Amino acid sequence: MTAILVCLTSCLDAQTFVDATAKSKLTGMAGDFAAWFDFNQDGYEDLNVSNQIWINNRNGTFTHLANTRLAGAAVWADINNDGYPDAMCWAGKGYLFLNQKRTSLTNISDKLPDLPTKVSLAASMGDFNGDGLVDLYVGGYEGPGYLTDVMYFNTAENNFKEVWRTKGTTMPSRGITTADYDEDGDLDLVTKGRLYENRSLRKNFVQVKLVGTGLIDGMAVGSQVRSSLEDHVQTRQVCSSTGQGNQNSPILHFSLGDYKGPLKAEIAWLGGKRTVKTLELNRLNTIRPE
């Protein structure tokens, strides 16, 4: 069946969508949550649907990645700075999976303390303490006894430590989103009708805003920035959504700690174009395809 979506734009263009599931060999895809991400870092968007991963074959079709053992819907970020996105599932006690450099996932949930509630609505990942490692915020649920939110810091070697949880009367954390709203160089957080201002000690940082042109959409959704810093690589991707009903800021945030030297980054735009730039520290860098 053909599905038609009419978009009200300045020029009132009509866009037509057709069901390409069978043609794309996505038969068997099922689940309540979906996310686009580049699992194998080949420059093409792969698909995570609940506990399934579908690899983009770069010819309009997808292949199901078998035996991922994901526990459910996931948020994706590179927790060990090797350039590949890893997964955190907020179902049950909480699960953590390490990307084995494009081939498979390894369950490393023993590195993550059990969540304070067994039912959660969302999670978000970002470097909240500015040490160059991606941390984790997990929300609670709507019912009494399930309302606790919790934050874990990444303490290196893929270990996570609880550093904070909500106390007293709370509200259900259905959506979680991060951004540096006050432009002081660290990630702040909004959830359950509350704004949490990050007051961590000031450290060096870089922020990148990608602006697409031509066939690349203006927000450059799906594009990545990879910065090399001494012995590790930080990778960030512009995402339209993350977790359940969340959308983080499209401005990508890199924490550098006490590093003050030059910082080069490679931008991988959707469509294969790549750009190498030297970034200016402690400011927003706006980059367009060359």
Side-chain angles (χ1 to χ4, degrees), residues 171-190:
M171 299 171 63
S173 180
R174 183 173 290 277
I176 305 169
T177 180
T178 62
D180 182 13
Y181 86 95
D182 51 2
E183 299 184 0
D184 64 349
D186 53 34
L187 287 177
D188 308 296
L189 189 144
V190 169

Side-chain angles (χ1 to χ4, degrees), residues 127-133 135 198 200 203-204 253 255-258:
D127 186 358
F128 297 111
N129 61 353
D131 65 353
L133 296 171
D135 307 307
N198 191 338
S200 301
K203 297 181 180 179
N204 292 320
H253 184 90
S255 299
L256 308 179
D258 297 324

Side-chain angles (χ1 to χ4, degrees), residues 136-156:
L136 173 65
Y137 187 101
V138 183
Y141 189 58
E142 297 175 338
Y146 296 93
L147 297 176
T148 303
D149 289 12
V150 61
M151 179 176 285
Y152 302 98
F153 281 174
N154 187 339
T155 61

Side-chain angles (χ1 to χ4, degrees), residues 69-82:
R69 297 183 175 84
L70 285 176
V75 286
W76 295 85
D78 182 10
I79 66 172
N80 60 344
N81 289 335
D82 69 347

Side-chain angles (χ1 to χ4, degrees), residues 6 8 12 20 51 68 70 73 84 88 92 115 117 147 155-156 162 181 187 210 215 219-220 271 274 277 279 288:
V6 178
L8 295 178
L12 296 179
N51 64 344
T68 63
L70 285 176
Y84 292 88
M88 187 275 163
L115 301 182
T117 64
L147 297 176
T155 61
E162 181 181 327
Y181 86 95
L187 287 177
L210 300 181
L215 295 178
M219 290 181 61
R274 293 182 181 267
K277 290 286 187 179
L279 304 179
R288 295 173 173 83

Side-chain angles (χ1 to χ4, degrees), residues 26-156:
L26 286 168
T27 303
M29 177 182 65
D32 297 327
F33 306 96
W36 292 102
F37 72 120
D38 190 355
F39 178 80
N40 55 6
Q41 292 296 292
D42 65 351
Y44 287 76
E45 291 291 272
D46 306 307
L47 183 59
N48 169 216
V49 182
S50 291
N51 64 344
Q52 301 175 346
I53 295 177
W54 296 84
I55 301 299
N56 191 328
N57 295 323
R58 301 184 288 183
N59 61 3
T61 67
F62 292 79
T63 297
H64 181 230
L65 184 65
N67 301 319
T68 63
R69 297 183 175 84
L70 285 176
V75 286
W76 295 85
D78 182 10
I79 66 172
N80 60 344
N81 289 335
D82 69 347
Y84 292 88
D86 309 298
M88 187 275 163
C89 300
W90 63 85
K93 68 183 185 65
Y95 299 87
L96 196 63
F97 296 86
L98 197 66
N99 189 332
Q100 296 300 319
K101 297 186 177 180
R102 81 177 62 186
T103 60
S104 61
L105 289 170
T106 297
N107 190 329
I108 57 168
S109 301
D110 58 322
K111 305 278 190 178
L112 176 69
D114 289 356
L115 301 182
T117 64
K118 302 309 177 189
V119 183
S120 174
L121 288 175
S124 185
M125 301 180 81
D127 186 358
F128 297 111
N129 61 353
D131 65 353
L133 296 171
V134 173
D135 307 307
L136 173 65
Y137 187 101
V138 183
Y141 189 58
E142 297 175 338
Y146 296 93
L147 297 176
T148 303
D149 289 12
V150 61
M151 179 176 285
Y152 302 98
F153 281 174
N154 187 339
T155 61

